Amino acid sequence: MGPGNIQKQVKSHYDSELFKTMVRSKLEYCSAHKIQDIQRLEAIQRSFTQRIIVCTNINYWERLKFLQLPSLQRRRERYIIINTWKILNRKIPNDINMCFYQSERHGERSGIPPIAKSCPSAVSTMYENSFSVKAAKLWNIFPKYVNSMKELPAFKAALGKFLDKIPDKPPTPGYVAEYIRLEIPVGRAT
């Protein structure tokens, strides 16, 4: 490996760390739930990662994998899941009255709050994007070996291993819509 390649690798690592510290932390304050909002936020990360020298000829999803960067959407979903674990294990208050129940086969499950069938579509959209509904749907995807962990470090490790199995392909304009949101259970009958 020549000195030029080493310089490129050092610069790409430096650029990646700079992005994580200075830019991504600001983007995470945005609460995006509509596809177009998610795409706008991901576009900022996509644009930045495209400027990293060693990543100029690979697509966004491959850049995320190469740079070991999760998509902003995956980070938001992970945050929701960790906070749900904290609510379940009484590490933070359950101010939104999330309900949990035990399933012998699936471990800890969360009840999804009901909504009136005749509500207006705007109310239905707000309901679907509320923390308690999103959190319950995300939580219920995980198998027993993940959601039954009682210590936070062990839970985060099991969560990370599980999430590594699911491709991180956020909705991206110009890409084939094969992205997988955690909210859509992969391989399960609906």
Side-chain angles (χ1 to χ4, degrees), residues 84-98:
T84 304
W85 181 92
K86 289 178 179 180
I87 290 170
L88 170 67
N89 289 284
R90 295 184 174 93
K91 304 292 183 191
I92 59 174
N94 186 0
D95 296 339
I96 56 174
N97 296 321
M98 285 188 77

Side-chain angles (χ1 to χ4, degrees), residues 102-107 109 143-144:
Q102 183 68 33
S103 163
E104 190 169 320
R105 182 175 175 202
H106 301 291
R109 290 289 178 225
K144 188 175 186 177

Side-chain angles (χ1 to χ4, degrees), residues 106-125:
H106 301 291
E108 295 288 347
R109 290 289 178 225
S110 179
I112 299 173
I115 185 172
K117 301 255 186 235
S118 61
C119 69
S121 64
V123 172
S124 178
T125 300

Side-chain angles (χ1 to χ4, degrees), residues 7-136:
Q7 285 177 328
K8 284 180 184 178
Q9 286 182 344
V10 168
K11 181 164 178 17
S12 69
H13 174 74
Y14 175 75
D15 288 347
S16 177
E17 292 302 313
L18 182 66
F19 175 79
K20 288 177 190 177
T21 306
M22 304 301 292
V23 179
R24 188 172 64 186
S25 60
K26 308 297 185 274
L27 295 175
E28 289 175 347
Y29 280 106
C30 302
S31 178
H33 53 80
K34 295 179 183 172
I35 294 291
Q36 61 266 29
D37 294 337
I38 292 170
Q39 289 175 339
R40 284 186 195 127
L41 289 174
E42 291 291 343
I44 297 168
Q45 181 164 290
R46 188 175 73 242
S47 175
F48 188 89
T49 59
Q50 194 170 22
R51 291 184 171 100
I52 296 174
I53 294 170
V54 294
C55 296
T56 55
N57 296 323
I58 56 177
N59 74 39
Y60 179 52
W61 297 334
E62 291 169 356
R63 287 194 305 269
L64 290 176
K65 188 182 261 187
F66 177 77
L67 295 169
Q68 298 178 341
L69 280 174
S71 68
L72 295 169
Q73 177 182 334
R74 176 63 56 92
R75 285 181 60 84
R76 278 189 302 279
E77 290 170 340
R78 185 176 181 276
Y79 172 80
I80 290 170
I81 294 161
I82 290 170
N83 273 300
T84 304
W85 181 92
K86 289 178 179 180
I87 290 170
L88 170 67
N89 289 284
R90 295 184 174 93
K91 304 292 183 191
I92 59 174
N94 186 0
D95 296 339
I96 56 174
N97 296 321
M98 285 188 77
C99 298
F100 296 94
Y101 61 93
Q102 183 68 33
S103 163
E104 190 169 320
R105 182 175 175 202
H106 301 291
E108 295 288 347
R109 290 289 178 225
S110 179
I112 299 173
I115 185 172
K117 301 255 186 235
S118 61
C119 69
S121 64
V123 172
S124 178
T125 300
M126 289 182 354
Y127 165 82
E128 287 295 327
N129 292 314
S130 68
F131 181 87
S132 57
V133 172
K134 257 188 194 219

